[in-house]
Amino acid sequence: EAAVERGSKIGIIMNTQVWPNIFNLILFVIPTFMAIYFGADAVQAIIDAVPKVIIDGLAVGGGMIGAVGLALLLQSINVKGIWYYFIIGFFFSSFLKIGNIGITLVAVVCVAMAYYNDNKQAASGKGYMDMAEINTQLTKKDLWKLFFYSEGFVTGLNYEKQEAPGFVFSMIPVLEKVYSDPEEKKDAYRRHTELFLTEARLSHFVIGLTAAMEERNANEHDFDPVSIGAIKSALMGPLAGIGDSLYHGTLRPIMAGLAISMVIASNYTSVLGPVIFVAVMAIVGQVIRYIGIFKGYEKGVAFVGAMQSSGMISKMTRYAGIAAYVVIGGFVSNFVSMSIPWSYMAGETEVSIQTTLDRMVPGLLPVLYTLLMLWLMRKKKANPILLMLLTMAVGVIGYACGILAS
């Protein structure tokens, strides 16, 4: 974010690609090598030296820290009068235990109902724009640059912004070309620093669509740029459900099973099975990325032009906000965990306060903590990094004092 505020392309590259890889080397590669080199006994001795209350407390804080990211995402959606959709998403996820795909369907139904209601109250649209009137700057060469930049999409993944650093890095070739005004370019980069999280390969459809929307905004300035973030947020849930189910839940187990079978059939002497597994997963992933970038941009150009010419862009912003609020509400129960260990005696029966709360409103503490983070960001202008550190401290202290349970 500091690099974005300076308008530094080099700073963005350093902070989203170079430094994350260096920290990964320090925090993961070197400790893993040392652990293998010195053996399990040495590792266990180090772990035993750390007080258990600290380790468990950090685990508690880690379960709570998702609230900061979700609050950041809610803060980025500047659409008024749709708060109850957040409650709807939370209700279906917490009370009815509906998963991500189900929550996505709920979001679709909510958007459809809003669209139906708007059509009853408003006059018909003005028609669609002739595609010949749509001005484009990005060439196929630029889209290939976007494709290669997007290969670093998951490098800067973190708990605060998830895939946002990779999204910012991926957009560099687009934003550097379409925006000539330094302040507009900073605003564009700043839009993409907000939390973003979906299946990594299908995310490239969003990248392609976003490239088209940024190009349109730079050339025409005829719609509210807030809609870019709202549409991104709305697509997170649906694409995550599709990608996780098909790529990770279907293709990966099938190919892994095939690879294992080939290894066993060779009496553990052939690497052909693992090679085929890696090759198929990599090729399918790259094909999905290619289609996402090129088709996402192609459809995005037509989509934005048509929506703007028909006066639908403001409505689409609202519909995207509705879908995003439903999805984020559904995410709370999955991304934030909090519980208290207190109990009391009612006669001869021990009553757990957490169980009582779960019977009344499942996930009450996570949603309240998420809303507290949002309030601190909006009203007190709290720094998200400080809130993350505060959350980890609350986890450790709360667990140590017996207020929070692991």
Side-chain angles (χ1 to χ4, degrees), residues 14 16 26 41 100 119 197 244 337 357:
M14 291 293 296
T16 61
I26 296 172
D41 292 339
N100 288 343
N119 278 356
L197 179 62
D244 289 343
S337 60
L357 289 175

Side-chain angles (χ1 to χ4, degrees), residues 220-378:
E220 306 295 340
H221 297 91
D222 56 356
F223 68 91
D224 189 347
V226 170
S227 62
I228 298 175
I231 290 174
K232 280 174 58 182
S233 300
L235 290 173
M236 289 195 311
L239 293 181
I242 295 170
D244 289 343
S245 298
L246 297 181
Y247 187 81
H248 298 289
T250 303
L251 179 62
R252 187 184 295 274
I254 291 174
M255 294 309 303
L258 176 63
I260 293 170
S261 298
M262 293 177 70
V263 170
I264 294 174
S266 70
N267 198 25
Y268 304 97
T269 59
S270 173
V271 297
L272 181 60
V275 169
I276 291 176
F277 170 79
V278 172
V280 171
M281 296 303 296
I283 291 171
V284 171
Q286 293 302 316
V287 169
I288 293 173
R289 287 187 169 100
Y290 173 85
I291 294 173
I293 294 290
F294 285 84
K295 289 299 180 181
Y297 172 76
E298 177 186 322
K299 300 300 181 184
V301 169
F303 167 79
V304 177
M307 291 301 99
Q308 179 58 27
S309 65
S310 64
M312 275 291 291
I313 196 71
S314 60
K315 290 183 180 180
M316 285 299 300
T317 302
R318 180 170 177 270
Y319 298 151
I322 289 171
Y325 266 56
V326 173
V327 170
I328 296 169
F331 276 1
V332 170
S333 297
N334 297 326
F335 282 84
V336 186
S337 60
M338 287 181 70
S339 62
I340 53 179
W342 297 343
S343 60
Y344 63 92
M345 299 301 296
E348 298 182 355
T349 304
E350 183 178 8
V351 179
S352 168
I353 294 180
Q354 184 61 52
T355 301
T356 302
L357 289 175
D358 288 340
R359 288 173 178 170
M360 294 170 55
V361 182
L364 177 63
L365 293 180
V367 75
L368 289 179
Y369 193 75
T370 301
L371 294 177
L372 172 63
M373 294 297 101
L374 178 62
W375 180 79
L376 289 173
M377 290 180 196
R378 280 189 174 171

Side-chain angles (χ1 to χ4, degrees), residues 35-264:
I36 295 173
Y37 182 81
F38 288 106
D41 292 339
V43 175
Q44 190 60 49
I46 295 173
I47 294 175
D48 292 341
V50 180
K52 186 175 184 299
V53 67
I54 299 296
I55 294 176
D56 292 345
L58 289 174
V60 171
M64 299 165 56
I65 207 167
V68 180
L70 293 178
L72 269 171
L73 191 53
L74 288 171
Q75 185 187 32
S76 70
I77 303 172
N78 189 23
V79 181
K80 296 181 179 180
I82 61 173
W83 260 104
Y84 49 93
Y85 290 104
F86 174 83
I87 303 301
I88 290 173
F90 174 73
F91 172 83
F92 275 92
S93 176
S94 296
F95 283 84
L96 303 182
K97 307 300 180 185
I98 292 178
N100 288 343
I101 295 179
I103 292 297
T104 299
L105 294 177
V106 173
V108 170
V109 171
C110 289
V111 170
M113 293 176 65
Y115 177 76
Y116 175 76
N117 186 58
D118 287 346
N119 278 356
K120 286 181 64 177
Q121 299 179 19
S124 61
K126 300 178 182 179
Y128 289 90
M129 173 182 286
D130 185 344
M131 284 297 295
E133 299 178 23
I134 300 176
N135 297 318
T136 59
Q137 283 181 264
L138 298 178
T139 65
K140 196 166 185 177
K141 181 179 178 180
D142 295 319
L143 295 181
W144 274 112
K145 285 184 181 179
L146 179 60
F147 175 82
F148 287 121
Y149 267 75
S150 70
E151 293 294 324
F153 181 73
V154 297
T155 302
L157 182 75
N158 61 68
Y159 286 113
E160 180 193 359
K161 299 295 185 70
Q162 298 290 344
E163 295 164 341
F167 206 106
V168 173
F169 175 74
S170 300
M171 293 298 296
I172 286 176
V174 173
L175 302 185
E176 291 294 326
K177 178 164 185 177
V178 301
Y179 287 102
S180 56
D181 182 88
E183 291 305 315
E184 289 186 355
K185 187 185 297 182
K186 286 183 186 179
D187 289 340
Y189 275 121
R190 195 179 295 120
R191 275 193 288 277
H192 303 298
T193 61
E194 302 298 340
L195 181 145
F196 182 80
L197 179 62
T198 192
E199 202 286 316
R201 278 137 292 272
L202 288 186
S203 65
H204 288 56
F205 174 79
V206 184
I207 294 174
L209 175 61
T210 302
M213 296 190 74
E214 290 288 4
E215 181 185 39
R216 174 78 185 204
N217 182 59
N219 291 339
E220 306 295 340
H221 297 91
D222 56 356
F223 68 91
D224 189 347
V226 170
S227 62
I228 298 175
I231 290 174
K232 280 174 58 182
S233 300
L235 290 173
M236 289 195 311
L239 293 181
I242 295 170
D244 289 343
S245 298
L246 297 181
Y247 187 81
H248 298 289
T250 303
L251 179 62
R252 187 184 295 274
I254 291 174
M255 294 309 303
L258 176 63
I260 293 170
S261 298
M262 293 177 70
V263 170
I264 294 174

